[in-house]
Amino acid sequence: MYNEAKEKYAALGVDTEQAMERLMKAPVSLHCWQGDDVRGFDTDPTKPLTGGIQTTGNYPGRARTPEELMADLDMVLKLCPGMKKLNLHANYAIFDDENGGWVDRDKLEPKHFKKWVDFCKERGLGCDFNPTFFSHPKCDPLTLSSPNEETRRFWIDHGKACIRISQYLAEELGQPCVMNIWTGDGFKDIPADRMGPRMRYKESIDAILSEPFDFNKVKPCVESKVFGIGVEAYTVGSAEFSLSYAAANPGKCIPLMDNGHYHPTEVVSDKIPALLVFFPEIALHITRPVRWDSDHVVLFDDETREMAKEIVRCGGLEGSVKMALDYFDASVNRVAAWTLGFRNWQKALLNALLTPSDSLKADQDVGNLTAVLVRQDELKTMPFGDVWDEYCRRCGAPLDGTWLDTVLQYERDVLSKR
């Protein structure tokens, strides 16, 4: 079946062998926070999340310790094809007697992530990183934009510590570390001052990025958002702010788009090529919004496929687009959610690589838009699934229709006993 599919794609000018080879070399970051509902290990896990973020659902089996989270990640890694990185939040620091026990976020050091480095080294993974500006007593509720100087100083010191940790991760693992700055700073209702918080936010990020780092190894990002829980009327780090900040700080910062962080009628697939006209590198968080940034499990849906097509068309697969998953669903089996989302993003990228973009572009450039419309739609019934199955086989990953049984057995043997 694969050989027949290979011939059909070859008739369109598409080399399926080359497509699979390219995809196998494209790293995608797997977010650790799907496994434990963004709880981490540095605060009371019984308290609710704060700072514009929350999960819904109480499906059994949530990871409660670093060991449980690592075991769940191992299961996902086995079930997913493709090249992976790990994506950590700072609140996943591991504290023990060997490294002096618990410290607050402004005092975090590389040693608190050594066990994660060991985990990555054993599995050949790179690692990305995120300061954690939420779910902490010092969210007042603002962090980097707070009018309270002591609050700002705490969070600036946290950001600087994360720069040092990101440099450590990059050097230890031999891959660049994307370090993403996102806060839920904002107001529930209409603010009296919109500019003041943004000026403080800018100054705080300036201070964080004054910490020495090698931009070839550490890729700081600023991520925007429309709104969050409790900050419905005004978000300090809006799209305009975040994009402008990155544009004003080349060589120190790159923009990060989360495809859930925009108004429902906006599509990130259109924004990707627009940004790549001006930025040599951008970062992307892949999720699935349902009416807003509700962080649903990534599906093989239209916008997911379009984002992947733009990344491939623009040459982003070779490194100019830093790809990471970002969602958290506590209403379903968490390992299944992780696996489904990662596999669907791999599917979207492979589908993009099997699209004859050069010939479609040629049709567009000569004004043959009828051919573009017809050919794009006819591609939907090409034997993509046969190539996907072959890709999974070559990566040593299970085929569709087989991996869920493995997850359900893991649930019976491990997750249900937590």
Side-chain angles (χ1 to χ4, degrees):
M1 292 172 68
Y2 167 68
N3 286 331
E4 290 180 2
K6 180 179 178 180
E7 291 177 4
K8 289 182 178 180
Y9 277 105
L12 300 178
V14 175
D15 185 336
T16 57
E17 294 289 326
Q18 184 184 69
M20 290 188 286
E21 183 179 346
R22 285 181 65 190
L23 185 52
M24 288 178 189
K25 298 176 182 177
V28 177
S29 279
L30 185 66
H31 55 311
C32 73
W33 48 94
Q34 164 59 39
D36 75 334
D37 309 339
V38 208
R39 294 291 177 178
F41 309 122
D42 71 340
T43 55
D44 186 347
T46 65
K47 292 183 178 179
L49 298 173
T50 63
I53 193 170
Q54 72 173 34
T55 58
T56 54
N58 58 355
Y59 198 92
R62 179 179 69 83
R64 302 161 298 177
T65 66
E67 292 75 21
E68 289 181 349
L69 186 59
M70 289 178 183
D72 294 352
L73 281 163
D74 268 336
M75 177 57 64
V76 179
L77 294 173
K78 292 175 184 176
L79 297 176
C80 295
M83 185 177 179
K84 297 101 174 172
K85 294 179 75 177
L86 181 64
N87 205 0
L88 288 174
H89 247 286
N91 61 328
Y92 288 83
I94 298 175
F95 306 107
D96 54 31
D97 293 338
E98 293 179 15
N99 58 35
W102 182 87
V103 298
D104 214 340
R105 290 181 189 171
D106 62 331
K107 299 293 193 298
L108 286 173
E109 298 181 47
K111 65 182 181 181
H112 299 119
F113 296 88
K114 182 182 183 303
K115 289 187 177 179
W116 285 113
V117 165
D118 293 341
F119 176 87
C120 291
K121 283 183 176 179
E122 290 170 5
R123 293 153 183 82
L125 306 174
C127 190
D128 294 330
F129 199 67
N130 307 259
T132 306
F133 296 103
F134 55 83
S135 297
H136 188 278
K138 285 191 178 291
C139 298
D140 68 2
L142 304 178
T143 61
L144 294 177
S145 67
S146 172
N148 184 308
E149 185 175 352
E150 181 183 351
T151 298
R152 287 200 313 280
R153 174 47 54 191
F154 174 87
W155 290 112
I156 288 169
D157 288 344
H158 172 58
K160 288 185 171 184
C162 291
I163 290 280
R164 296 190 291 271
I165 293 164
S166 297
Q167 182 91 12
Y168 163 74
L169 294 172
E171 291 176 350
E172 286 291 319
L173 300 174
Q175 296 185 40
C177 176
V178 177
M179 195 202 87
N180 180 44
I181 296 172
W182 173 82
T183 77
D185 285 23
F187 295 105
K188 182 177 180 64
D189 219 323
I190 300 169
D193 175 17
R194 295 177 185 270
M195 188 170 181
R198 287 179 173 142
M199 291 298 294
R200 293 190 293 269
Y201 196 40
K202 176 186 178 298
E203 291 168 1
S204 294
I205 300 174
D206 287 344
I208 290 171
L209 297 185
S210 71
E211 182 71 19
F213 65 93
D214 183 346
F215 187 65
N216 292 316
K217 297 178 179 179
V218 178
K219 304 290 183 180
C221 307
V222 281
E223 179 181 3
S224 65
K225 194 161 186 176
V226 177
F227 77 96
I229 299 295
V231 289
E232 289 85 354
Y234 167 83
T235 299
V236 179
S238 65
E240 294 78 10
F241 174 93
S242 300
L243 184 59
S244 298
Y245 188 90
N249 290 274
K252 295 186 71 174
C253 183
I254 65 176
L256 186 147
M257 294 188 293
D258 182 308
N259 69 292
H261 289 194
Y262 297 89
H263 292 289
T265 56
E266 293 184 279
V267 287
V268 166
S269 56
D270 186 59
K271 299 177 187 295
I272 291 169
L275 264 62
L276 287 173
V277 171
F278 299 98
F279 292 93
E281 296 176 295
I282 65 172
L284 179 66
H285 276 185
I286 302 120
T287 184
R288 178 170 57 98
V290 175
R291 296 185 175 84
W292 73 290
D293 179 37
S294 42
D295 287 296
H296 287 66
V297 180
V298 173
L299 298 181
F300 189 54
D301 57 13
D302 288 347
E303 175 59 5
T304 300
R305 293 197 297 269
E306 285 303 311
M307 288 192 299
K309 286 176 185 176
E310 290 302 335
I311 290 171
V312 170
R313 287 167 181 158
C314 297
L317 203 61
E318 280 65 44
S320 60
V321 179
K322 319 298 183 185
M323 302 176 289
L325 301 184
D326 184 5
Y327 56 84
F328 34 95
D329 190 343
S331 70
V332 297
N333 182 297
R334 295 170 183 81
V335 174
W338 247 331
T339 303
L340 180 63
F342 195 96
R343 287 173 68 97
N344 279 332
W345 183 241
Q346 288 280 297
K347 281 183 183 177
L349 291 171
L350 182 60
N351 178 69
L353 287 162
L354 296 175
T355 300
S357 295
D358 289 343
S359 62
L360 287 168
K361 178 183 179 299
D363 282 333
Q364 176 179 308
D365 287 347
V366 299
N368 195 356
L369 303 183
T370 302
V372 172
L373 180 65
V374 172
R375 292 178 63 202
Q376 283 181 327
D377 220 48
E378 289 181 344
L379 283 167
K380 295 175 183 177
T381 55
M382 286 290 288
F384 165 77
D386 296 329
V387 185
W388 167 251
D389 286 350
E390 182 66 15
Y391 176 68
C392 288
R393 279 190 287 266
R394 294 189 186 187
C395 291
L399 306 188
D400 285 1
T402 65
W403 63 266
L404 182 57
D405 288 341
T406 304
V407 173
L408 295 178
Q409 186 63 49
Y410 183 69
E411 180 177 300
R412 289 189 290 270
D413 294 343
V414 178
L415 301 180
S416 64
K417 298 177 181 179
R418 291 178 180 170

